[in-house]
Amino acid sequence: MTDDIARKLKAAAARLFTQHGYTATRVADIVANAGVAQGTFYLHFENKPSLFVALIDEFFAGLIEETIARHPAKRLQTGEHLSAEVEEIWMTIIRYGRKHDILTRLVLREAHALRPEQRAHINRHFEQGADALARYLEDAQQLGLVKNLPARLIAWLLVGMIERAMHYAVFVAPNAPSVSLAGHCTEFELLGLLEPSAARTGGES
Amino acid sequence: MTDDIARKLKAAAARLFTQHGYTATRVADIVANAGVAQGTFYLHFENKPSLFVALIDEFFAGLIEETIARHPAKRLQTGEHLSAEVEEIWMTIIRYGRKHDILTRLVLREAHALRPEQRAHINRHFEQGADALARYLEDAQQLGLVKNLPARLIAWLLVGMIERAMHYAVFVAPNAPSVSLAGHCTEFELLGLLEPSAARTGGES
Amino acid sequence: MTDDIARKLKAAAARLFTQHGYTATRVADIVANAGVAQGTFYLHFENKPSLFVALIDEFFAGLIEETIARHPAKRLQTGEHLSAEVEEIWMTIIRYGRKHDILTRLVLREAHALRPEQRAHINRHFEQGADALARYLEDAQQLGLVKNLPARLIAWLLVGMIERAMHYAVFVAPNAPSVSLAGHCTEFELLGLLEPSAARTGGES
Amino acid sequence: MTDDIARKLKAAAARLFTQHGYTATRVADIVANAGVAQGTFYLHFENKPSLFVALIDEFFAGLIEETIARHPAKRLQTGEHLSAEVEEIWMTIIRYGRKHDILTRLVLREAHALRPEQRAHINRHFEQGADALARYLEDAQQLGLVKNLPARLIAWLLVGMIERAMHYAVFVAPNAPSVSLAGHCTEFELLGLLEPSAARTGGES
DNA sequence: TATGAATGAGACTTCATTCAT
DNA sequence: GATGAATGAAGTCTCATTCAT
């Protein structure tokens, strides 16, 4: 019952934040949309930012659980394994973003409307994501599957790719098949852009 | 004189937005920091968001000018050329971000605190960036230098990489040499992560 | 059972009103401190102010009963009698204040936090006290024991003295022996401050 | 100009606090009564309680200045002097209360509606008053004009008398001549209530 | 009788913007 | 052009009270 109200509030908030922006959405709008009284809001959330943070936390918890958490790099053995796994992860990410498109919008576009205190909390999610990716890369490097580029830098580049891949999959080309998106992302990530024939005549030496 | 005041206001605003966030920064703070009266603000800017937008516009104008605008892909001939140019662009980007670190922070972290109307304006910058990158890629594809991956998707992935490369260069590792960062970004972008030896046994085949 | 809850609520309220002030104390705090549910409060008291009023009423009922009610002036015959009785009353007052120190604080310091309606009720207690004192004085005046000063004015001055004597006995010097306090109050009340020798040279003539 | 607004706000607030009580008076009422905008209030006072405190401070500053500050006990020489001076002080007090009747009501009846923090500030005024009276008494005791009763206790009793004398002069008998009120208060304070003839037969020995 | 989740009116305060000087 | 005092709309949060269980 109680949980039901919290859920309704979160759903309404996610919708409104996405539509009108975090700042422009008033608590009054949220409760009106959720069909409860103004005061009820404060029985379930400390205040407006804390509801936002709860939404963001949920998004990241789900994303982490469905991706990195399920794919420890240690088990990898060949480049083929890696390739398949990376593609699977890209697929999961894209599907996750599309399934939770409102939350995705929220994380990608609204997360910065908060005050520094809460923003720090959110940035920590990104840092944790980067950390997890860096660890994954280091493991794969030790297995000789991945080049010896600085793992933390690459991890952050991957974070950026993921953000924009989700952006693309949700906003730019919402109808592009997930499979092909995941395939392209994988190829770009693992093999780069350079046409092999061109590389032969003049790659990174 | 007039221009001087506008500049002081912009500088103060950039500093304060970066430090305390856009929402938490009051016009009163900006004018106090710029050493002018409250009313003076409105002689130089229409309102608070429009000052923000002016800052963002400046950032993008400068970035575009120093990067893509100077590097029409048409002139490329070999993979080596491409590789050198890409590296130069990465270098420029990283140096630009570090030189204008406050504005960089602003664009990366504050741009979403605005109302939808202004945010649309800002998103247009990103879209234009993605468009320019896509055109560049298509040109390079026609020259046979770049793989035939979907240009718009890749362009957005590159946008994400650029955002996070700047983030990394400014916040995470502000002392890492720009040259090596640019080199790593280039290698990742053009050749991917897969260790060639591993690729042989099991790449994308 | 029911009475027990009402008592627990009153005790908790008295403590909290005293500590944090009437306004700052929420019904939620009171019930939490009393260990009952929010709704239960309203089974025992009409609302928050009425609980306060009940506490005040109790205080005054007890005080009146132990002091004036027991000492009809009519029985007095000599100044010595009067003196002894006045001292006894002072003693009772001081002891009463110290025994019910929380309620005393409440009456002296919180009684004004209420809305005009309830405040009128409380002021009536003070007026009744002043009335009783005035009657006592008039009786004593008729017996020739007390000077012919206007009884109502003096009664109010005595009310002020009593308030502050309690204040002194409870807050300022909680360890001063009641006996000596009562003695000093009595001497001041009956004989005034003027040193007799000084009075001779220049009193009220 | 600015001061004018502050004065208007204070006057309106004093009136409304007195009439409806501090708690029941909204900032909206005050500004409406003063004829300024809601926001203007906060240009002149930090918040509602701080306006209240300013009013109280004014009252006490004026009262202290017109009474104790003008009457250093050291100059006294005879009981007659003392008597005349005490009467003058009583007169001043009564007139002050009647002149500033609204503020008097405020101090006597509303001062407790505040939160503990501000109340502490107000109690300090009473304590300072008591201190000043105690010093005065001690000086007079050293001159042999006043009995050796404990000065601090008596000071507080006098505080109580003053509070209620003002109360009486303003609320109970607003038309009683100040001169006679001051005379009665003086006689009570200096000589007490006991009829001298009765005292002879049985005073405090 | 007891519960405690839900209510919703209402107050304070902030702050972008204006405009008379 | 510059000033800064004044504006007032608007939003967050509190908390006494109710009522279905």
Side-chain angles (χ1 to χ4, degrees):
Chain A
M1 205 94 273
T2 279
D3 263 11
D4 197 43
I5 288 182
R7 209 175 318 124
K8 275 197 280 182
L9 284 168
K10 281 197 281 197
R15 216 179 318 131
L16 292 164
F17 288 159
T18 298
Q19 225 169 91
H20 309 294
Y22 170 78
T23 309
T25 300
R26 292 163 303 159
V27 173
D29 299 328
I30 299 171
V31 296
N33 256 269
V36 299
Q38 186 102 348
T40 306
F41 182 94
Y42 294 91
L43 292 176
H44 296 275
F45 300 97
E46 201 191 324
N47 45 29
K48 190 167 92 142
S50 94
L51 163 55
F52 193 120
V53 166
L55 286 171
I56 305 270
D57 286 355
E58 245 171 45
F59 176 86
F60 278 102
L63 184 57
I64 293 293
E65 194 204 351
E66 295 196 15
T67 54
I68 298 283
R70 295 212 179 134
H71 299 279
K74 309 260 172 169
R75 289 179 320 194
L76 295 175
Q77 289 180 344
T78 67
E80 220 169 305
H81 280 135
L82 176 67
S83 193
E85 191 167 85
V86 165
E87 190 160 357
E88 201 189 315
I89 293 178
W90 274 113
M91 187 83 106
T92 312
I93 288 171
I94 286 160
R95 288 195 171 135
Y96 188 86
R98 282 178 162 167
K99 185 169 162 201
H100 305 281
D101 59 332
I102 292 186
L103 284 180
T104 301
R105 259 169 222 262
L106 217 59
V107 170
L108 294 181
R109 301 197 153 168
E110 295 296 329
H112 299 301
L114 296 166
R115 305 262 155 140
E117 310 103 64
Q118 288 100 23
R119 210 177 305 175
H121 176 86
I122 289 171
N123 286 335
R124 228 165 294 136
H125 282 300
F126 283 97
E127 275 153 29
Q128 283 167 8
D131 285 348
L133 285 169
R135 278 195 303 277
Y136 188 89
L137 284 168
E138 279 160 0
D139 288 346
Q141 283 172 338
Q142 283 192 342
L143 294 168
L145 300 174
V146 156
K147 286 182 197 152
N148 254 328
L149 292 164
R152 247 185 112 56
L153 166 62
I154 302 299
W156 276 110
L157 298 182
L158 288 173
V159 166
M161 283 174 63
I162 292 168
E163 287 175 285
R164 287 308 188 173
M166 289 181 114
H167 169 88
Y168 184 85
V170 176
F171 306 134
V172 182
N175 298 315
S178 304
V179 187
S180 74
L181 289 181
H184 297 317
C185 289
T186 306
E187 187 173 352
F188 177 29
E189 177 183 347
L190 295 183
L191 301 174
L193 294 176
L194 203 61
E195 179 67 36
S197 60
R200 243 168 265 132
T201 49
E204 199 81 334
S205 96
Chain B
M1 202 93 258
T2 280
D3 262 13
D4 196 44
I5 288 182
R7 208 174 321 123
K8 275 198 281 183
L9 284 168
K10 281 198 281 197
R15 214 179 320 129
L16 291 165
F17 288 160
T18 299
Q19 226 170 89
H20 309 293
Y22 171 78
T23 308
T25 299
R26 293 163 303 165
V27 173
D29 298 328
I30 298 171
V31 295
N33 255 268
V36 299
Q38 191 105 342
T40 307
F41 183 95
Y42 293 88
L43 297 174
H44 296 274
F45 300 95
E46 199 193 324
N47 47 29
K48 189 174 129 173
S50 93
L51 163 56
F52 192 121
V53 166
L55 286 170
I56 305 271
D57 286 355
E58 243 171 46
F59 176 86
F60 277 103
L63 184 58
I64 293 294
E65 194 203 353
E66 295 196 17
T67 53
I68 298 283
R70 296 211 179 136
H71 299 277
K74 309 261 172 164
R75 290 178 319 193
L76 293 174
Q77 287 179 347
T78 66
E80 219 168 308
H81 280 135
L82 175 67
S83 190
E85 192 167 83
V86 165
E87 189 159 359
E88 202 189 314
I89 294 177
W90 275 114
M91 187 84 105
T92 311
I93 288 170
I94 286 160
R95 286 197 174 135
Y96 189 85
R98 281 177 164 168
K99 186 169 161 202
H100 306 281
D101 59 334
I102 291 185
L103 284 179
T104 302
R105 261 169 219 260
L106 218 58
V107 170
L108 294 181
R109 302 198 153 169
E110 293 296 329
H112 298 301
L114 296 166
R115 304 262 156 142
E117 311 103 63
Q118 290 98 22
R119 212 177 303 175
H121 176 87
I122 289 171
N123 286 334
R124 229 167 292 136
H125 282 299
F126 283 96
E127 277 153 29
Q128 282 168 9
D131 285 349
L133 285 169
R135 279 196 302 278
Y136 187 90
L137 284 168
E138 279 159 0
D139 289 347
Q141 283 171 339
Q142 284 191 344
L143 294 168
L145 299 173
V146 155
K147 286 180 196 154
N148 253 329
L149 292 163
R152 247 186 111 55
L153 166 62
I154 302 299
W156 275 111
L157 298 182
L158 287 172
V159 166
M161 282 174 64
I162 291 168
E163 289 174 286
R164 288 309 188 171
M166 289 181 114
H167 168 89
Y168 184 85
V170 175
F171 306 133
V172 182
N175 297 315
S178 304
V179 187
S180 74
L181 290 182
H184 297 316
C185 290
T186 306
E187 187 173 353
F188 177 31
E189 177 183 346
L190 296 184
L191 300 175
L193 293 176
L194 203 60
E195 178 68 36
S197 60
R200 243 168 264 133
T201 48
E204 204 80 336
S205 95
Chain C
M1 202 92 251
T2 280
D3 261 12
D4 196 43
I5 288 181
R7 207 174 321 122
K8 275 199 281 183
L9 284 168
K10 281 197 280 194
R15 216 180 317 130
L16 292 165
F17 288 160
T18 298
Q19 225 170 90
H20 309 294
Y22 171 77
T23 309
T25 299
R26 293 164 302 166
V27 173
D29 299 327
I30 298 171
V31 295
N33 255 269
V36 300
Q38 190 107 343
T40 306
F41 182 94
Y42 293 88
L43 296 174
H44 297 274
F45 300 95
E46 199 193 326
N47 48 28
K48 189 173 127 172
S50 91
L51 163 55
F52 192 121
V53 167
L55 286 170
I56 305 270
D57 286 355
E58 242 171 47
F59 176 86
F60 278 103
L63 183 59
I64 293 294
E65 192 202 353
E66 296 196 14
T67 53
I68 299 284
R70 296 210 179 136
H71 300 277
K74 310 261 172 167
R75 290 180 317 195
L76 294 175
Q77 289 180 343
T78 65
E80 219 169 307
H81 279 134
L82 176 67
S83 190
E85 192 168 83
V86 166
E87 189 159 359
E88 201 189 315
I89 294 178
W90 275 114
M91 187 84 105
T92 311
I93 288 171
I94 286 161
R95 286 196 172 136
Y96 189 84
R98 281 177 164 168
K99 185 169 162 202
H100 305 282
D101 58 334
I102 291 184
L103 283 180
T104 301
R105 260 169 219 259
L106 219 59
V107 170
L108 294 181
R109 301 197 154 167
E110 294 297 329
H112 297 301
L114 295 166
R115 304 263 154 139
E117 311 102 64
Q118 289 98 22
R119 210 177 306 174
H121 175 86
I122 289 170
N123 285 334
R124 229 166 293 137
H125 282 300
F126 283 96
E127 278 152 28
Q128 282 167 9
D131 286 350
L133 285 169
R135 278 195 303 277
Y136 187 90
L137 284 168
E138 281 159 0
D139 289 346
Q141 283 170 337
Q142 284 192 342
L143 293 168
L145 300 174
V146 157
K147 286 181 195 153
N148 252 329
L149 292 163
R152 245 184 114 56
L153 166 62
I154 301 301
W156 275 110
L157 297 183
L158 288 173
V159 165
M161 281 174 64
I162 291 168
E163 288 174 287
R164 288 308 189 173
M166 288 180 114
H167 168 89
Y168 185 86
V170 175
F171 306 134
V172 182
N175 298 315
S178 304
V179 186
S180 74
L181 290 182
H184 298 316
C185 291
T186 306
E187 186 171 354
F188 177 31
E189 177 184 346
L190 295 184
L191 300 175
L193 293 177
L194 202 62
E195 178 69 35
S197 60
R200 243 167 265 132
T201 48
E204 202 81 334
S205 95
Chain D
M1 207 95 271
T2 278
D3 263 12
D4 197 43
I5 288 182
R7 209 173 321 123
K8 275 198 281 184
L9 284 168
K10 282 197 281 197
R15 217 179 317 131
L16 291 164
F17 288 159
T18 298
Q19 225 169 92
H20 309 294
Y22 170 79
T23 309
T25 299
R26 293 163 303 159
V27 172
D29 299 327
I30 298 170
V31 294
N33 256 267
V36 299
Q38 188 102 346
T40 306
F41 182 94
Y42 294 90
L43 293 175
H44 296 274
F45 300 96
E46 202 193 321
N47 46 30
K48 191 167 90 144
S50 94
L51 163 55
F52 193 119
V53 166
L55 286 171
I56 304 269
D57 285 355
E58 246 172 43
F59 175 85
F60 277 102
L63 183 58
I64 293 291
E65 195 204 351
E66 296 196 15
T67 53
I68 297 284
R70 296 214 178 132
H71 300 279
K74 308 260 172 167
R75 288 180 321 194
L76 295 175
Q77 286 178 345
T78 66
E80 218 169 308
H81 279 137
L82 175 67
S83 191
E85 191 168 86
V86 165
E87 189 159 0
E88 201 189 314
I89 294 178
W90 274 113
M91 188 84 104
T92 312
I93 288 171
I94 287 160
R95 287 196 172 137
Y96 188 86
R98 282 178 162 166
K99 185 170 163 202
H100 305 281
D101 59 332
I102 291 185
L103 284 179
T104 301
R105 259 168 221 262
L106 219 59
V107 170
L108 294 181
R109 301 198 153 168
E110 293 296 329
H112 298 300
L114 296 167
R115 305 261 155 142
E117 309 103 63
Q118 288 100 23
R119 209 176 305 175
H121 175 87
I122 290 172
N123 286 334
R124 228 167 294 136
H125 282 300
F126 283 97
E127 276 153 30
Q128 283 168 8
D131 285 348
L133 286 169
R135 278 195 303 277
Y136 188 90
L137 284 168
E138 279 159 2
D139 288 345
Q141 283 171 339
Q142 284 192 342
L143 294 168
L145 300 173
V146 156
K147 286 181 196 152
N148 255 327
L149 292 164
R152 248 186 110 55
L153 167 62
I154 301 300
W156 277 111
L157 297 183
L158 288 173
V159 166
M161 282 173 64
I162 291 168
E163 288 174 285
R164 287 308 187 173
M166 289 181 113
H167 168 89
Y168 185 85
V170 175
F171 306 134
V172 183
N175 297 315
S178 303
V179 187
S180 73
L181 289 182
H184 298 318
C185 289
T186 306
E187 187 173 352
F188 177 30
E189 178 183 345
L190 296 184
L191 299 175
L193 293 177
L194 203 60
E195 179 67 36
S197 60
R200 244 168 261 131
T201 48
E204 197 84 332
S205 94

